[in-house]
Amino acid sequence: MRQLKVALVLLIVGGLMTTAAFFMAFYTAEVQSFGTVTLSQQLDTAYPLTEAGAGGFTYGRPWFSQKIFYFHVPVALASFLVLIIAAYFAVRMLLTKRKEFDTKSRIAMETTLVYVMLTMLTGVLWTRASWGVWWDWEPRLTTYFILTLMVIAYFVLRNSIEDEERRAVYGAVFAIIAAINAPISFFITRIIPSNHPVVFKSGFATSNLIPFLTAMFGMLMLGFAIYVIRMSEERLRERLDAAKTALEG
Amino acid sequence: MEPTNIELYDLVLKDAPFIIAGYGVLWAALVVYISLVLRRILRLEREVKAVEDSVARRTGDAVS
């Protein structure tokens, strides 16, 4: 129960941090520009005038859909991290054959699934707002889609195996294979030309970095809290099974 | 309306529904998921207590 209390504290702190990041994203973060827009009159605005010509006044086009970045990127990075943690427990399970590591790996994969789905949903909305389409088969989206399918397939695989030991071994191997996709998906935009923005490559204003880091740490805390809460649930389930066995015996 | 303002409002309003949906979906999903898990934990705690009490009673009966 002490772990559950720690998880609830993490949940509150993580929730507060991500909420603070949300407000910072709109109140203090610099609005980034995306191309230019030419307006007939000069504006009394924070957006810097880039050119004043015969056609009018040219400004950096405010890129409002970029605001999704402050949640989409932290949740995506957290999904990679939790997946790697799941693979770490899977390796330990294969080395020791202890059930405890199988449970930890499975719960980490479940947390990964939550974060992967959130990354996909926020990503699709950003793609529609920025690119005008709901989906594009470009390298980052394609590799992340494969990763999503693999995380879903992990649970399908587990549910299809009756024998507990075989299920744990097959699940562990599959979790490791799925985790190999995380660095591929992360680095693909740096290796293959892609429409997807590459974070940090083109520099970052401090006003944008602070909400991003706040959301990042908040999201990691929420992920850890989800993991601990689910582990507490699993332990309670084990306790219930043991008590039922004792009652029947 | 001022044409310059129309252009600017248009830029903001076109993106706004997607930004709102993005944040909304993320928050709603997290809140619903965590609430469901916490509810399950509370139910499990009640069940564990009931079964463990029964085990303790049975053990007590056997001893006496």
Side-chain angles (χ1 to χ4, degrees):
Chain A
M1 281 303 100
R2 201 176 143 260
Q3 279 185 328
L4 197 59
K5 279 179 190 162
V6 171
L8 289 175
V9 170
L10 282 171
L11 209 60
I12 292 166
V13 176
L16 285 174
M17 282 178 86
T18 41
T19 309
F22 170 84
F23 284 107
M24 279 192 270
F26 287 94
Y27 282 96
T28 60
E30 186 180 299
V31 176
Q32 298 201 317
S33 55
F34 184 66
T36 54
V37 56
T38 304
L39 304 174
S40 56
Q41 293 168 17
Q42 188 166 0
L43 278 179
D44 180 19
T45 167
Y47 309 122
L49 182 71
T50 55
E51 200 185 310
F57 300 88
T58 305
Y59 295 86
R61 180 182 280 263
W63 190 21
F64 292 102
S65 64
Q66 186 265 345
K67 298 287 179 199
I68 296 175
F69 162 90
Y70 297 99
F71 270 42
H72 171 70
V73 178
V75 86
L77 290 177
S79 75
F80 289 144
L81 195 72
V82 188
L83 180 58
I84 288 164
I85 291 168
Y88 165 74
F89 286 131
V91 170
R92 292 201 68 180
M93 187 273 144
L94 289 175
L95 292 174
T96 61
K97 295 277 184 287
R98 275 166 62 185
K99 194 193 165 207
E100 171 199 350
F101 292 120
D102 177 50
T103 310
K104 283 181 176 174
S105 179
R106 176 168 55 84
I107 300 300
M109 281 300 272
E110 212 183 281
T111 313
T112 307
L113 181 64
V114 173
Y115 273 19
V116 157
M117 295 317 285
L118 290 176
T119 306
M120 287 296 266
L121 286 169
T122 50
V124 158
L125 288 161
W126 178 86
T127 308
R128 178 65 181 80
S130 284
W131 299 344
V133 290
W134 290 103
W135 188 262
D136 184 25
W137 291 106
E138 60 86 54
R140 168 60 65 76
L141 269 64
T142 308
T143 49
Y144 203 83
F145 182 66
I146 293 167
L147 188 144
T148 307
L149 291 181
M150 288 184 90
V151 175
I152 295 168
Y154 170 85
F155 293 100
V156 175
L157 177 77
R158 284 191 73 99
N159 286 334
S160 66
I161 301 170
E162 288 276 323
D163 181 60
E164 204 174 305
E165 204 173 310
R166 264 183 66 209
R167 186 170 57 213
V169 172
Y170 283 29
V173 172
F174 201 85
I176 295 164
I177 295 169
I180 293 169
N181 218 339
I184 294 174
S185 184
F186 182 78
F187 288 110
I188 198 91
T189 47
R190 289 160 175 84
I191 300 165
I192 299 174
S194 161
N195 287 337
H196 196 281
V198 180
V199 183
F200 300 122
K201 200 180 177 183
S202 52
F204 219 40
T206 312
S207 68
N208 294 29
L209 188 65
I210 293 168
F212 169 74
L213 288 178
T214 311
M216 185 75 240
F217 286 115
M219 211 52 89
L220 286 175
M221 277 188 194
L222 285 178
F224 188 58
I226 289 173
Y227 171 80
V228 175
I229 291 171
R230 281 287 292 115
M231 278 304 291
S232 304
E233 189 190 347
E234 285 301 310
R235 288 204 182 97
L236 270 174
R237 221 175 273 280
E238 281 166 15
R239 237 175 87 188
L240 183 66
D241 288 343
K244 275 181 179 168
T245 312
L247 194 67
E248 283 159 11
Chain B
M1 198 191 283
E2 190 72 51
T4 307
N5 284 342
I6 291 172
E7 174 76 35
L8 261 187
Y9 291 146
D10 188 47
L11 283 173
V12 177
L13 291 175
K14 249 194 266 172
D15 285 353
F18 299 105
I19 299 169
I20 294 164
Y23 283 109
V25 162
L26 191 131
W27 275 117
L30 278 177
V31 167
V32 167
Y33 177 73
I34 292 166
S35 309
L36 285 175
V37 176
L38 287 176
R39 265 186 65 186
R40 279 206 308 258
I41 286 180
L42 290 176
R43 200 196 65 221
L44 269 171
E45 268 179 350
R46 279 198 302 271
E47 273 181 47
V48 166
K49 197 177 176 309
V51 178
E52 282 181 348
D53 282 352
S54 304
V55 173
R57 267 200 305 276
R58 182 182 274 194
T59 317
D61 289 348
V63 169
S64 63

